[in-house]
């Protein structure tokens, strides 16, 4: 039974933000932190949620993985949810600050904020803007209703958008739990308090034969 953990960073963040969480998991457990398809610097095609979700399935296939666990942050939680809704090899989801599709007004605000994202020029602001437009068309209730994998939802204290997201996801998911953690201390926007939760949930979900 081959297993893998896939970490998805928030749109506009580098995949390396997950280093503390990677270090907290067993070293014999394969892990990956890919760019969201369509947002990797230098990639020619534009972001689309369907192709981004398919890229996760393709990764599982390429690596010969039987069970995958996806940890996602912010708007990447939408991509993780879509992947889980169509690939039953995804055996668990951990969604941090889960987001609902942005309204047009929110999209305009997020595009403005994206101009100030760090990254040393690694991100194409046009790609981020188009990604936000694509996510605005996302049918979240339909996607969540097709997920059978257990899901851990983690809101962030004083982040109303994340708390609203947890409530929305709980309403539509079949098997889910919700929790809230302090915003600080944090590493690149990811609260440190999520690290033990991620470790505990994945250890709970792992196939017994994988831990022998």
């Amino acid at each position: 039974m081959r297993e893998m953990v896939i970490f998805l960073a928030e749109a506009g963040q580098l995949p390396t933000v997950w280093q503390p969480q990677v270090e907290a998991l067993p070293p014999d457990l394969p892990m990956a932190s890919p760019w969201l398809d369509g947002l990797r610097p230098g990639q020619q095609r534009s972001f689309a949620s369907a192709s981004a979700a398919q890229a996760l399935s393709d990764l599982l296939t390429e690596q010969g993985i039987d069970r995958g666990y996806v940890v996602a942050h912010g708007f990447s939680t939408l991509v993780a949810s879509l992947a889980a809704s169509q690939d039953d090899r995804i055996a668990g989801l951990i969604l941090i600050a889960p987001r609902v599709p942005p309204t047009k007004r929110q999209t305009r605000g997020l595009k403005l904020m994206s101009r100030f994202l760090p990254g040393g020029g690694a991100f194409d602001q046009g790609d981020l803007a188009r990604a936000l437009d694509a996510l605005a068309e996302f049918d979240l209730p339909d996607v969540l209703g097709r997920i059978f994998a257990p899901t851990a939802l983690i809101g962030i204290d004083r982040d109303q958008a994340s708390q609203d997201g947890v409530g929305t996801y709980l309403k539509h998911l079949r098997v889910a739990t919700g929790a809230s953690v302090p915003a600080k201390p944090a590493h690149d926007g990811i609260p440190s308090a999520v690290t033990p939760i991620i470790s505990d949930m994945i250890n709970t979900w792992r196939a017994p034969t994988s831990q022998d």
Side-chain angles (χ1 to χ4, degrees), residues 54-73:
Q54 183 59 47
L56 299 186
S57 291
D58 292 344
L59 176 61
L60 295 178
T61 299
E62 291 165 3
Q63 299 297 320
I65 301 301
D66 302 296
R67 289 170 63 87
Y69 312 103
V70 182
V71 183
H73 178 221

Side-chain angles (χ1 to χ4, degrees), residues 23 44 62 67 73 82 86 89 95 118 123 145 152 164 196:
E23 293 175 353
Q44 296 301 311
E62 291 165 3
R67 289 170 63 87
H73 178 221
L82 181 57
Q86 57 194 23
R89 290 175 297 177
L95 307 180
F123 303 104
D164 292 344

Side-chain angles (χ1 to χ4, degrees), residues 110-203:
L110 289 166
K111 287 178 181 178
L112 178 62
M113 291 174 60
S114 72
R115 298 177 186 176
F116 305 98
L117 286 172
F123 303 104
D124 185 305
Q125 303 303 329
D127 287 344
L128 288 172
R130 286 186 288 273
L132 291 169
D133 287 334
L135 290 172
E137 305 300 322
F138 199 90
D139 188 350
L140 184 61
D142 176 68
V143 168
L144 297 180
R146 292 187 278 114
I147 294 175
F148 290 88
T151 304
L153 303 163
I154 305 175
I156 299 175
D157 293 351
R158 299 184 181 180
D159 178 352
Q160 191 58 49
S162 76
Q163 300 290 342
D164 292 344
V166 168
T168 298
Y169 282 60
L170 284 173
K171 187 184 301 182
H172 297 285
L173 285 166
R174 298 169 184 268
V175 183
T177 59
S180 185
V181 298
K184 295 184 181 298
H187 174 73
D188 286 341
I190 300 176
S192 299
V194 306
T195 303
I197 298 176
I198 292 171
S199 181
D200 288 347
M201 292 306 302
I202 290 175
N203 285 332

Side-chain angles (χ1 to χ4, degrees), residues 11-132:
Q13 287 187 318
L14 293 168
T16 52
V17 299
W18 295 109
Q19 191 61 34
Q21 289 72 39
V22 168
E23 293 175 353
L25 290 173
D28 63 329
L29 177 61
M31 291 172 253
S33 182
W35 289 91
L36 287 177
D37 187 70
L39 290 181
R40 178 168 52 83
Q43 194 170 6
Q44 296 301 311
R45 61 176 173 271
S46 297
F47 173 87
S49 57
S51 61
Q54 183 59 47
L56 299 186
S57 291
D58 292 344
L59 176 61
L60 295 178
T61 299
E62 291 165 3
Q63 299 297 320
I65 301 301
D66 302 296
R67 289 170 63 87
Y69 312 103
V70 182
V71 183
H73 178 221
F75 282 106
S76 70
T77 58
L78 296 171
V79 173
S81 297
L82 181 57
S85 75
Q86 57 194 23
D87 192 332
D88 59 10
R89 290 175 297 177
I90 296 178
L93 290 171
I94 300 175
L95 307 180
I96 303 163
R99 301 303 191 195
V100 300
T103 64
K104 290 183 178 180
R105 180 178 179 182
Q106 290 171 329
T107 299
R108 287 195 296 269
L110 289 166
K111 287 178 181 178
L112 178 62
M113 291 174 60
S114 72
R115 298 177 186 176
F116 305 98
L117 286 172
F123 303 104
D124 185 305
Q125 303 303 329
D127 287 344
L128 288 172
R130 286 186 288 273
L132 291 169

